[in-house]
Every structure is written in C-alpha cells, then in structure tokens.
Amino acid sequence: MGVKIVDTALRDGSQSLLATRLTTEEILRVAPLLDKAGYYALEVWGGATFDACLRFLDEDPWERLRAIRKACPNTKLRKLRDGFKNTKLQMLFRGQNILGYHHYPDDIVEKFVERSLANGIDIIRVFDALNDVRNLKSAVDACKKYGGHCQIALSYTTSPVHTVAYYVDLAKEVEKMGADSLCIKDMAGVLLPEDAYKLIHELKKGTNLPIELHSHCTGGICQLTYRRAIEAGVDIIDTALSPLSGGTSQPATEAFNYALKGTKYDPKLKQDMLDEAAAILSPIKEKYLKNGILKPKALSCNPSILKYQVPGGMLSNLMSQLEKQGAMDKYDEVLKEVPRVRKDLGYPPLVTPLSQMVGTQAVMNVITGERYKMVPKEIKDYLHGYYGKAPAPVDPKIQKKIIGDDPVITYRPADKLAPEFEKLKKEYRKIAKCDEDVLSIALFEQTAISFLKRKYGLEAESFSVSL
C-alpha cells in the first residue's frame, strides 16, 4: 500500500500563506475536484479558520463545514475501518483550547466535538502546545464517544528533553488513551531528514498506530524530511495543492504524486483532478498576492529557523511587533533572545499559543533593555501552571522574579472550570438559534455575538439575559 496523502490547501495552506482568508465560495470551487482525487483526507476546518470566518470574512464557520461536506459526496462519515477507500474531512483541534486561545470547560469541549462530527468532520487531529496529555483527554474521550477518528498530534520541537525516547514514550501513552492514529506535528518545519528517519523508525517499533507527518517548508528541508520519513515507514504525509504550497506552507501535492509514481510508495492520486483544481486555485492565489494578504516573503524559505527554531508565522509576528515599535534594527537580537526565553520557560514547543507568548516576551526583553522587566499576563499564567505542565523545569530565578512565591498548580487546568454550555444557552437564548451558535459564542463571545446579530438581522436588540 502506498503512502497516504492529506491535502492541507483549504486549511493550513490558506492559514500559512493567506492569513486564513480563503472564503467558503473559493473553497467550494475546488473541493469537489479534490474529493475525487483519491486523497486519504482533506484538511478543511479547525485551526484559525473558525475565528477568521467570524472576525474577517463575515461567514458562519458551521455553514462552511456543512457546505464542504455537501460538496464532497465521495467522503464517508464515521470511523476509518474501510481500508481508506474514501476521502475524509479532517480538522485541527487545540485540545482543551478547542479553536481558541485559552482553556474551556469540559462540557464545551465535548459539545464542540459532538457538533463537529455531526456537521461533517471525520478525523479530529487533537494536540496540546505543551504535549500535556491531561489537556487532550476531554477531546479524545468525546471523539471516541461520538464515533469520530481521533488522531493525536505530538508537537515536535528540539531541546535537551525532547528526545526520540521522549516522543516514543508519549506515543505509547496516547495510544493507551485511545488514539486511532498518531501525527508528528512539526509546526516550525525544523525536523531534519535523518532525525525524521530515526523518529519514525522508533515510533513504528514502539506503537501500532498509523503515523502521519506534518511539517512546513519554511526551513527549506521539508521535502527531504518527508522522503526520509517515507523510507522509515510513515503512513501518511501532509501536502498542499501547488498554488498554496511551499514557503510557510507544506510541499506541493503534485510534486510528491510525480516523485513517488511507480514506486511502492505511489499515492496514486488522480493527476487530472489535481491539475484542474490547481488551475482554479492559481488565480485565487494571484488575487491575494495583488491585494497584499499574501506576502511574497511567506513564499520563500528561511533556513535561519533551523538555528533559532522559530516557526514562519512567529517570524512574521516578531517583525510586525518590531515595526510597530520602530525597532526593526533589533530583529537579529530578538531572534537570539527567543531560544534563551524558551530555555528559561522549560522548553515549551513554539506552537499556538506558546509561540506568540515566547515571541512577545523576547521582544519585550530586547526593547526594554532588561530581561523580564515587563511580562505579559499570559506568561504569568503559564508560570502559574494554567496552561499545563512545562516540558522541563522552569528556571527558578526567572520564576521567582516574575511570580514571586505564588503557588504553581499541579492539577489539570480545566479541573477548576465550571460547566458553561447550558448557562450560555440560556443567557443568549434570543440570539443563539442552535447549539452551534452557542458554541461560537463560547469560543469568541463578542466577535460571535456581533456576527450573529448581523446574520439574523437583530443588531438593534440586546441579547444578554440576566440569570
């Protein structure tokens, strides 16, 4: 059986290159073609798409999901016990953060999983920025309860504690949790080819789960890394249709289809379907280049990330922060400060939301001229344990300077969060017409309320009801 392919163009490709601005109408132009191409799955939802729909596109993300499901009749809902015969719809889910930026109560997590599966998702890729498995449990349990395929993703990074043995032990743990498959999520694109071979080889020995590899082209090595991973026995790779590939996105789907053709790894995708879809997506890409949403820099590789371990999106955020401060001359100094901050904080992987937090702290350290003179609330919350357990011990001197002798929690952060769904459903019963509306409000309250008022033509009314 050849290597399986998940196409990310409609989610991560759009998020990486187009700031998640691809509209539902644009997605629906190509989704039916991709549905016929022979993919293992299409990643079409989750990540930043939900927020972007409400905040920037004036679209209902739930309606987008239902529309994609309808446009992909070859997909088959429910568990992947059919020998991978049909394309599946896949989403990215941030564990206890769902699609937001902080922890939500367990009842919200469970309801969101249930509604995602009911509206058309087959595979839910669940990850935690810190690889704290406690933050995965609610989503994993809900996915299993409602009949979805639960893929647990391990956030890949390098540090003295993030060894091959660390990831193998973690894989064994998530297999016991009930994962249906495993993903190595190399969000920064820093996994080197030989390291990938060793990692996949050991994971194949240590677990029975199908293994998927997700990386980015930012560092310029992704294609080599994928090839070595395939040789080591990886089951699935993430690629993006060519117009939304490369740079900070994934490698081009068509390139791997050609490169592996006729080998034992042949994915056997229908090239005519890929070509037709790419021809539709190419002018859409050109539109975003012309209007400035697609930055030319996002299309180039930057091998310096292999040194500093900084994801492409984080690089853009750092540049934006420095530009606002009129301090672009400090760019190299900030890049050097990032790994120092990361070490101080116990080597957290640089993935949302930790990447933004570490980057902002590095900028503050450089701009103020004194390390940790200014500290964002999110960093203080992290040091209090509110995001989960740090992979390695935090520097005690830094912790003392920032939070003094404050206690650090050792329980699962969400344990202290009270159920919220029924409360929100009652509070916003005049505007939330369905459970999906309540969930939108739960995640992005004010943004969702503003959107729903416009959607239902209720701008003139007040909707929060005193309990």
Side-chain angles (χ1 to χ4, degrees):
M1 184 180 291
V3 67
K4 305 300 176 187
I5 302 238
V6 171
D7 197 288
T8 66
L10 304 184
R11 203 289 298 174
D12 201 14
S14 170
Q15 184 170 324
S16 296
L17 298 180
L18 308 181
T20 328
R21 297 301 198 274
L22 205 62
T23 67
T24 299
E25 186 274 332
E26 289 165 340
I27 287 171
L28 294 179
R29 291 190 217 171
V30 295
L33 295 168
L34 298 180
D35 181 46
K36 300 173 186 175
Y39 287 108
Y40 165 67
L42 301 177
E43 189 192 47
V44 297
W45 211 57
T49 61
F50 200 96
D51 187 6
C53 277
L54 295 171
R55 194 179 306 274
F56 303 116
L57 302 176
D58 201 33
E59 293 185 359
D60 190 321
W62 297 101
E63 290 183 358
R64 167 180 289 196
L65 175 55
R66 290 190 289 270
I68 295 172
R69 162 57 64 192
K70 186 177 180 181
C72 296
N74 290 315
T75 62
K76 287 287 184 70
L77 199 58
R78 292 294 165 254
K79 292 183 180 179
L80 306 184
R81 306 302 183 198
D82 58 3
F84 310 131
K85 294 176 183 176
N86 302 287
T87 305
K88 307 298 185 289
L89 296 186
Q90 182 170 310
M91 73 172 291
L92 183 66
F93 196 103
R94 299 180 186 133
Q96 206 70 33
N97 288 5
I98 310 180
L99 305 179
Y101 307 101
H102 61 81
H103 287 187
Y104 297 91
D106 290 335
D107 68 325
I108 298 292
V109 174
E110 179 174 341
K111 193 69 173 179
F112 204 99
V113 168
E114 186 268 324
R115 287 289 85 200
S116 297
L117 294 170
N119 280 276
I121 287 297
D122 301 294
I123 306 168
I124 298 183
R125 176 181 291 174
V126 185
F127 80 98
D128 177 66
L130 294 172
N131 290 323
D132 188 336
V133 295
R134 299 173 304 171
N135 295 333
L136 303 173
K137 190 175 187 309
S138 290
V140 173
D141 289 350
C143 193
K144 303 297 290 183
K145 178 179 179 179
Y146 295 107
H149 175 107
C150 181
Q151 180 180 88
I152 294 182
L154 309 183
S155 298
Y156 180 81
T157 189
T158 58
S159 82
V161 298
H162 291 93
T163 62
V164 170
Y166 164 90
Y167 284 108
V168 172
D169 288 344
L170 202 54
K172 291 177 180 178
E173 191 170 358
V174 300
E175 185 171 18
K176 290 178 183 176
M177 286 181 70
D180 293 302
S181 61
L182 178 73
C183 175
I184 299 302
K185 181 176 169 58
D186 176 26
M187 55 281 167
V190 296
L191 179 58
L192 299 172
E194 294 311 307
D195 291 342
Y197 187 91
K198 293 173 188 174
L199 178 59
I200 299 299
H201 184 263
E202 291 303 311
L203 286 172
K204 295 295 286 188
K205 290 198 300 183
T207 176
N208 294 314
L209 296 175
I211 300 173
E212 184 163 352
L213 178 58
H214 173 93
S215 189
H216 291 254
C217 297
T218 325
I221 58 167
C222 190
Q223 290 89 338
L224 293 172
T225 296
Y226 274 17
R227 179 67 200 200
R228 286 299 277 155
I230 290 169
E231 291 167 354
V234 80
D235 300 281
I236 312 160
I237 57 172
D238 285 3
T239 64
L241 195 68
S242 56
L244 293 183
S245 70
T248 54
S249 180
Q250 283 75 50
T253 300
E254 301 96 313
F256 270 91
N257 198 42
Y258 279 119
L260 300 175
K261 188 175 182 179
T263 72
K264 63 181 179 179
Y265 310 118
D266 193 341
K268 297 182 179 178
L269 298 181
K270 297 177 182 176
Q271 191 63 46
D272 57 337
M273 294 291 103
L274 302 182
D275 292 343
E276 193 173 342
I280 294 171
L281 206 51
S282 290
I284 294 172
K285 171 187 177 180
E286 291 301 318
K287 180 190 81 171
Y288 288 106
L289 261 175
K290 289 179 181 178
N291 67 20
I293 287 176
L294 173 52
K295 312 292 184 186
K297 184 171 283 190
L299 295 170
S300 62
C301 70
N302 185 354
S304 68
I305 71 158
L306 303 174
K307 179 178 180 180
Y308 297 116
Q309 304 284 297
V310 179
M314 186 175 170
L315 281 175
S316 299
N317 288 337
L318 291 178
M319 286 187 280
S320 177
Q321 290 181 53
L322 290 171
E323 283 175 355
K324 290 176 182 176
Q325 297 285 336
M328 274 303 292
D329 59 312
K330 304 286 188 182
Y331 180 66
D332 288 338
E333 194 176 344
V334 169
L335 276 183
K336 292 174 183 176
E337 178 65 6
V338 167
R340 291 195 286 262
V341 171
R342 188 166 165 257
K343 180 181 179 181
D344 292 342
L345 299 182
Y347 296 107
L350 294 178
V351 63
T352 302
L354 273 303
S355 53
Q356 293 90 330
M357 290 158 57
V358 170
T360 298
Q361 187 63 65
V363 169
M364 287 181 172
N365 287 357
V366 170
I367 295 294
T368 62
E370 179 184 334
R371 302 187 80 230
Y372 304 104
K373 180 180 181 179
M374 293 177 61
V375 179
K377 178 183 180 297
E378 290 80 6
I379 293 289
K380 295 176 182 177
D381 286 347
Y382 169 80
L383 292 176
H384 281 106
Y386 297 152
Y387 284 88
K389 185 180 179 182
V394 173
D395 186 310
K397 292 180 181 177
I398 299 301
Q399 182 163 311
K400 176 82 171 178
K401 180 173 183 176
I402 297 175
I403 65 171
D405 295 321
D406 289 358
V408 178
I409 67 169
T410 56
Y411 55 82
R412 185 183 70 115
D415 283 347
K416 299 295 185 180
L417 299 179
E420 199 174 68
F421 183 80
E422 292 301 328
K423 175 186 173 184
L424 288 171
K425 189 172 183 176
K426 182 177 180 182
E427 184 175 359
Y428 292 105
R429 59 182 178 265
K430 290 186 178 181
I431 185 172
K433 308 295 185 184
C434 58
D435 286 353
E436 287 83 353
D437 289 347
V438 178
L439 290 168
S440 296
I441 292 171
L443 264 63
F444 302 103
E445 189 169 18
Q446 294 306 316
T447 300
I449 289 169
S450 296
F451 168 78
L452 291 170
K453 284 182 179 180
R454 294 191 301 274
K455 178 181 178 180
Y456 297 127
L458 303 171
E459 290 92 339
E461 299 183 38
S462 176
F463 300 98
S464 180
V465 180
S466 298
L467 298 179

